[in-house]
Amino acid sequence: MIDQYFQKQDVMRRLIYALIPLFFFAVLLYGWSVLLQTAVVFAGGIATEYVFTRQRGKKISEAVLVTCALYALALPPALPLWITLVGIVFAVALAKEAYGGFGRNIFNPAIAGRLFIFLSFPVPYNAGWIVPASRGPQGFSGLFGTTQAAGVDTVTAATPLALLRTGEIPPLMDLFLGFRGGSSGESSVILILLAALFLVATKTANWKTMASTFLGALTAAGAFFFGGLIPGLSPASFPGLSALVPLAAYMMSGSILFVTVFMATDPITAPNKPLAQFVYGLMIGGVSMTVRTLAGFPEGTSFGILVANTFSPFLDEHLPSPKKKKKKLQTAGATQ
């Protein structure tokens, strides 16, 4: 039935499969409102693409489903629905279809939509963070939407990055499992890593781009931390190996891992040459951490992706391709 209206794209379907566990976990953390927000995103994104593809006599690309899924998971859970809708319409109409549709866009549509509403509606955007479900000695509390914590205003809940800027380090296990605030789908490190393994095993995503993005982010974060430039975190307060704890918390906070696995590996906006892909990943990670640390924004991954998208054609054009190995010719009588 779906093939009647959508172009079948197996790569896009595998990406959706990898994202499904993150949606389930987002509902556990923030309640059923995540499903309503997701429904608005998919309805708006599919309808917007239909308007354009209908004029060309083509089917809707399944890539728009990936754009919708990534955009929905990258949003604050309590973002007003009308702002959510504005963002996905912008993402599909102006960041994708305006360039000619699938395969022609130069910017990642989901990130473009997210950054557009962040810059256009910063107050409601930053008020969209809520307290997620938590874990404790008695088990898990606040699942399925009962996220009100005692004495905490859920619409101004601090994200891990905000806590780190005050010198408070969230428990590493909570960061790893995902029981912390943030965008709907960015929190669970373990689920993101499992998704990465699935994408690499099925040859859906390039592991080298993932590795170089993480390397770029880790290098920049380490330089800023040990240089004493990260607000609230001073290496002098964590002597010896204990200094790795706040650095690990800094890396597991925010959306850098989510972006590394699902955004940096976008085959449309990423370069094609191996060396270009490596530099591209370094650029995403480095710019993301630079903006996060030194600029006045709560996170820098959207800027990292869009800056790297801008330079992607340049990297493909000017960085060398790998040299092809010459096949050894075996001639008769050449055996010794």
Side-chain angles (χ1 to χ4, degrees):
M1 184 66 178
I2 192 173
D3 292 341
Q4 182 178 351
Y5 302 99
F6 291 85
Q7 302 176 35
K8 184 178 180 181
Q9 297 171 305
D10 291 333
V11 170
M12 300 303 166
R13 293 190 179 189
R14 290 196 292 271
L15 279 166
I16 291 292
Y17 299 153
L19 290 166
I20 288 175
L22 297 180
F23 275 107
F24 278 115
F25 192 68
V27 174
L28 288 176
L29 287 182
Y30 301 111
W32 303 111
S33 60
V34 172
L35 294 180
L36 178 59
Q37 189 180 55
T38 301
V40 169
V41 170
F42 274 83
I46 293 171
T48 302
E49 176 143 330
Y50 174 73
V51 170
F52 286 89
T53 56
R54 181 186 179 185
Q55 297 175 355
R56 305 187 188 109
K58 297 181 179 180
K59 294 181 180 180
I60 302 170
S61 69
E62 289 185 347
V64 76
L65 303 180
V66 176
T67 295
C68 291
L70 292 174
Y71 173 78
L73 289 171
L75 296 178
L79 187 70
L81 294 179
W82 71 270
I83 296 179
T84 298
L85 181 60
V86 168
I88 191 61
V89 171
F90 177 90
V92 177
L94 295 180
K96 180 182 179 182
E97 295 300 333
Y99 290 94
F102 174 72
R104 297 183 178 182
N105 54 288
I106 61 174
F107 298 109
N108 184 286
I111 285 293
R114 178 193 188 191
L115 189 57
F116 174 74
I117 60 173
F118 171 73
L119 295 176
S120 302
F121 313 103
V123 174
Y125 188 96
N126 288 318
W129 312 115
I130 59 178
V131 177
S134 60
R135 68 183 188 93
Q138 286 74 39
F140 302 116
S141 63
L143 298 182
F144 292 102
T146 54
T147 56
Q148 179 68 51
V152 178
D153 182 359
T154 57
V155 296
T156 57
T159 63
L161 285 177
L163 293 175
L164 284 166
R165 289 188 177 96
T166 65
E168 181 180 347
I169 301 176
L172 294 185
M173 186 55 68
D174 284 352
L175 295 176
F176 183 71
L177 296 177
F179 289 95
R180 51 89 164 179
S183 299
S184 295
E186 73 178 25
S187 61
S188 180
V189 173
I190 186 172
L191 289 180
I192 293 172
L193 292 178
L194 290 174
L197 291 175
F198 170 77
L199 294 175
V200 171
T202 56
K203 297 182 179 180
T204 305
N206 188 333
W207 70 268
K208 295 179 181 178
T209 305
M210 292 185 196
S212 63
T213 302
F214 183 79
L215 177 62
L218 181 61
T219 302
F224 292 134
F225 174 70
F226 289 107
L229 297 177
I230 298 180
L233 296 180
S234 171
S237 303
F238 305 93
L241 292 177
S242 62
L244 297 179
V245 173
L247 182 58
Y250 199 64
M251 289 298 298
M252 288 194 287
S253 299
S255 57
I256 185 62
L257 294 178
F258 180 79
V259 164
T260 295
V261 173
F262 296 107
M263 307 284 199
T265 55
D266 176 14
I268 304 302
T269 54
N272 297 313
K273 294 179 181 178
L275 180 57
Q277 291 170 344
F278 180 76
V279 175
Y280 176 80
L282 291 178
M283 185 179 295
I284 293 174
V287 172
S288 297
M289 285 300 176
T290 300
V291 173
R292 174 197 284 192
T293 305
L294 303 181
F297 299 99
E299 176 64 291
T301 50
S302 295
F303 296 96
I305 287 289
L306 292 187
V307 168
N309 288 167
T310 303
F311 283 93
S312 178
F314 176 86
L315 296 176
D316 250 344
E317 180 70 23
H318 294 282
L319 292 182
S321 301
K323 294 181 180 180
K324 295 182 179 180
K325 296 181 179 179
K326 295 181 180 180
K327 294 182 180 180
K328 295 181 179 180
L329 299 177
Q330 293 183 351
T331 57
T335 56
Q336 296 181 0

